[in-house]
Amino acid sequence: MRSKLMTHGLEKAPHRSLMYATGLTKEEMCRPLIGVCNAANEIIPGHVHLDTITRAVKDGVRMAGGTPMEFPTIGVCDGLAMNHEGMKFSLPSRELIADSIEIMATAHPFDALVLVTNCDKIVPGMLMAMLRLNIPAIIVSGGPMLAGSYKGKTADLITVFEGVGKVSRGDMSVDELEKLEISACPSCGSCSGMFTANSMNCLSEAIGLALPGNGTIPSVTSARIRLAKKAGMQVMKLLEKGICPRDIVTEKSVANAVTVDMALGCSTNTVLHLPAIFAEAGLDLTLDIFDEISRTTPNLCHLSPAGHHHLEDLNMAGGIPAVMSVLRDKGLLQLDALTVTGKTLGENLEDLGAQVMDSDVIRSADAPYSTEGGIAILHGNLAPDGCVVKQAAVAPEMMQRTGTARVFESEEDSVTAILGGKIKAGDVVVIRNEGPKGGPGMREMLTPTSAVAGMGLDKDVALVTDGRFSGGTRGAAIGHISPEAFEGGPIGLVKEGDQIRLDIPGRTLELLVSEDELAQRKKAWKPLEKEVKSAFLRRYRRLASSAAQGAVFAK
């Protein structure tokens, strides 16, 4: 056992003395020591109940003969950090989370890990740490919150964001918005649609590093507590069998994760997180792989923001195993991929009797929402290295469109223009210098996309940025433009009034300006120098890779 490095031997008497000081007994020190990373805090609604989930995990570890040892990590709530300086710290926090877990699990050599998580950057950060450390480990989430209700219709956080635009437009009163904001998020848990947190929790199942049910069992149910206990028990079995994360995460699990991503219509942020996660296992996940799998994978689900269903509906319909059963029957999954159950994906689906319980929530392969996956990768002279759009949430009218560029150097300026009625049908809102280096931090921009929808323009206006969009975004929102403006990418050369052509089925994004004119603009171009007060963000600017490579720290 790794833990013997600090518990056994004559020279470890001081170590044992310190552990006795924590209240441990000699018997507990002789058992496997299981690190339990608890991301609980009183800020994030998805994390306020994680002490309860962690307690259940530790109960499971003890039932199976281990000694759990809890430690914390940080977490940023993307919703609360939205549309101000705080959002610049969200994506970079992923790297700190992975680093902090590596530090804790190396400085205190645990025999195995259970990682208790829930929200946007915390899930991928923990998955990155699992693969980097490569000791027996399992991840368990706190589960999705329930959907809210307002005026007889389901509501969620995105409904509130879009309500801001409706108030500006005059379609909703301030009093109505206040009543909506009180009712839209009725419980703890990760926000209830197929946004980034739930996307990553669902994909943790598909990758094989979480137990079935991890992505969809609601946060407030007893089933979530039982799942946490089972995760604590299961990590002891992984330790006994010597199964480590890199035994599970192979090219087969890469293919499975991207396939399920496309079938669910997950957040575009998965295109940042999956490459970063798999890179820790030495696996290269390019934008081309996303597009290749998207072209052959049917989109089976339209959860919010693409449709009116929420995670509780997906859970009742059979959850991720049911989605994978449809993909299995179509021959789209690698069924011999190993998972944390100690069995293969195919064996898990067989044992669960996985099947679709509601064909309105999970469609059949013969009647999908679309024959292609939920995400599309575009290229063109505006994005030579690629960009991403959640095509499952784009109105048919916007799948092909030529529009007039309206150029903004920050998210705040664009929101002021949108809510001020200065953006009209046929415009393409260009928000640049918001990439990993240009931001720095690559802010998530749910406010402008929701403002466009709230103003009733989501079927008439496209948004293009070298930043990123929320999993809650709907409409023709094209993000991750690479190279970014700060690095001299063509998005930095766009001028007010230029024509931009978007063709999602054709996978192209073109700036309709001659090569000669672009060459002249390039000669005159200079990077926009924003004052960066934060030492951490200055370091992130130096180290972060392109969004096309997952915006990870350079190794």
Side-chain angles (χ1 to χ4, degrees):
M1 296 190 298
R2 290 175 82 245
S3 60
K4 287 184 178 180
L5 293 170
M6 65 179 178
T7 60
H8 284 58
L10 176 65
E11 71 280 10
K12 297 306 190 303
H15 303 62
R16 291 191 293 274
S17 182
L18 290 170
M19 296 182 80
Y20 279 128
T22 70
L24 286 182
T25 66
K26 183 177 181 179
E27 290 78 10
E28 286 175 305
M29 285 186 226
C30 291
R31 296 172 183 166
L33 301 185
I34 310 301
V36 180
C37 183
N38 179 7
N41 60 55
E42 295 183 348
I43 304 165
I44 307 176
H47 288 219
V48 294
H49 66 306
L50 290 189
D51 281 344
T52 302
I53 302 298
T54 300
R55 192 178 310 118
V57 166
K58 293 192 291 186
D59 288 344
V61 170
R62 290 192 181 99
M63 284 190 288
T67 298
M69 304 189 78
E70 182 181 338
F71 64 92
T73 192
I74 64 168
V76 172
C77 177
D78 277 28
L80 294 175
M82 199 74 64
N83 196 35
H84 62 83
E85 188 78 6
M87 180 50 75
K88 293 185 177 183
F89 290 83
S90 176
L91 182 59
S93 75
R94 182 189 67 183
E95 314 304 312
L96 286 184
I97 290 163
D99 290 348
S100 69
I101 295 170
E102 179 188 14
I103 289 168
M104 288 296 291
T106 306
H108 316 99
F110 301 120
D111 297 302
L113 290 172
V114 183
L115 305 175
V116 184
T117 185
N118 220 19
C119 290
D120 290 25
K121 309 308 169 293
I122 301 91
V123 184
M126 287 187 168
L127 291 169
M128 289 165 67
M130 289 172 71
L131 289 161
R132 188 182 301 174
L133 290 161
N134 200 37
I135 61 176
I138 191 169
I139 195 166
V140 59
S141 81
M145 73 168 59
L146 300 176
S149 177
Y150 180 69
K151 290 188 174 181
K153 295 182 179 181
T154 58
D156 55 34
L157 182 65
I158 308 310
T159 318
V160 185
F161 267 100
E162 294 182 359
V164 175
K166 290 181 179 180
V167 171
S168 298
R169 190 185 182 193
D171 289 346
M172 177 182 282
S173 69
V174 173
D175 182 62
E176 287 176 313
L177 180 60
E178 183 176 347
K179 291 176 181 177
L180 171 61
E181 67 188 59
I182 291 171
S183 61
C185 300
S187 75
C188 62
S190 48
C191 297
S192 57
M194 190 52 77
F195 315 141
T196 303
N198 289 326
S199 294
M200 293 309 304
N201 284 327
C202 289
L203 294 184
S204 296
E205 286 188 50
I207 295 168
L209 293 176
L211 293 174
N214 181 72
T216 62
I217 296 173
S219 59
V220 295
T221 61
S222 57
R224 177 57 60 177
I225 303 298
R226 292 195 297 273
L227 180 74
K229 289 180 180 178
K230 289 177 181 177
M233 297 170 69
Q234 187 60 31
V235 79
M236 297 301 294
K237 294 181 180 178
L238 294 173
L239 178 59
E240 179 185 350
K241 295 179 180 179
I243 298 175
C244 295
R246 290 187 206 170
D247 299 319
I248 293 168
V249 176
T250 65
E251 290 183 355
K252 292 178 180 179
S253 56
V254 169
N256 287 340
V258 179
T259 299
V260 174
D261 188 351
M262 297 305 148
L264 290 173
C266 288
S267 165
T268 53
N269 282 316
T270 62
V271 178
L272 285 173
H273 297 323
L274 290 179
I277 292 163
F278 290 126
E280 297 288 352
L283 298 169
D284 186 22
L285 182 56
T286 66
L287 294 183
D288 291 338
I289 294 173
F290 282 94
D291 200 54
E292 178 184 334
I293 292 178
S294 179
R295 290 180 183 275
T296 58
T297 304
N299 179 219
L300 305 176
C301 301
H302 262 195
L303 282 78
S304 178
H308 64 277
H309 296 132
H310 291 82
L311 266 290
E312 62 200 79
D313 302 310
L314 180 58
N315 189 61
M316 291 293 290
I320 303 307
V323 174
M324 290 195 289
S325 73
V326 178
L327 299 171
R328 171 197 61 192
D329 295 345
K330 196 170 173 60
L332 294 175
L333 292 178
Q334 304 291 324
L335 298 175
D336 57 344
L338 184 64
T339 73
V340 288
T341 66
K343 298 181 179 181
T344 66
L345 175 61
E347 290 171 332
N348 288 345
L349 297 179
E350 199 66 37
D351 291 346
L352 292 166
Q355 59 180 316
V356 176
M357 306 302 291
D358 187 338
S359 59
D360 186 42
V361 178
I362 305 171
R363 291 197 173 182
S364 71
D366 295 328
Y369 282 100
S370 65
T371 57
E372 291 189 353
I375 290 174
I377 305 299
L378 315 182
H379 289 83
N381 70 346
L382 191 52
D385 293 343
C387 57
V388 60
V389 61
K390 188 172 184 175
Q391 63 176 341
V394 178
E397 300 94 316
M398 291 300 296
M399 296 297 281
Q400 294 174 305
R401 180 64 65 97
T402 299
T404 302
R406 303 295 309 281
V407 181
F408 302 93
E409 303 295 351
S410 72
E411 175 189 3
E412 289 86 350
D413 290 346
S414 72
V415 172
T416 299
I418 294 165
L419 295 180
K422 296 181 180 180
I423 301 301
K424 308 296 182 185
D427 285 346
V428 177
V429 176
V430 178
I431 308 172
R432 64 191 180 196
N433 290 296
E434 290 284 7
K437 293 181 180 293
M442 200 180 187
R443 285 194 288 180
E444 182 174 279
M445 287 178 271
L446 181 55
T447 300
T449 58
S450 297
V452 165
M455 296 291 283
L457 294 170
D458 55 298
K459 296 180 180 179
D460 298 292
V461 169
L463 292 97
V464 174
T465 183
D466 52 8
R468 60 192 178 90
F469 290 117
S470 164
T473 292
R474 63 185 175 95
I478 298 96
H480 308 193
I481 299 283
S482 298
E484 61 177 292
F486 187 82
E487 297 257 84
I491 189 173
L493 308 179
V494 180
K495 289 186 176 181
E496 188 85 5
D498 284 348
Q499 295 296 293
I500 295 174
R501 182 168 59 218
L502 164 67
D503 183 355
I504 295 175
R507 299 295 200 267
T508 59
L509 181 66
E510 297 285 343
L511 176 62
L512 302 182
V513 173
S514 71
E515 291 185 10
D516 289 344
E517 172 63 18
L518 288 177
Q520 290 300 315
R521 293 182 187 182
K522 182 70 174 178
K523 290 179 181 178
W525 174 84
K526 293 180 180 180
L528 179 66
E529 292 292 345
K530 297 180 181 178
E531 181 183 7
V532 182
K533 296 180 181 179
S534 166
F536 172 65
L537 289 180
R538 290 197 298 270
R539 186 164 71 250
Y540 185 81
R541 171 176 280 178
R542 290 196 304 271
L543 295 176
S545 71
S546 162
Q549 282 82 48
V552 296
F553 278 174
K555 301 298 183 186

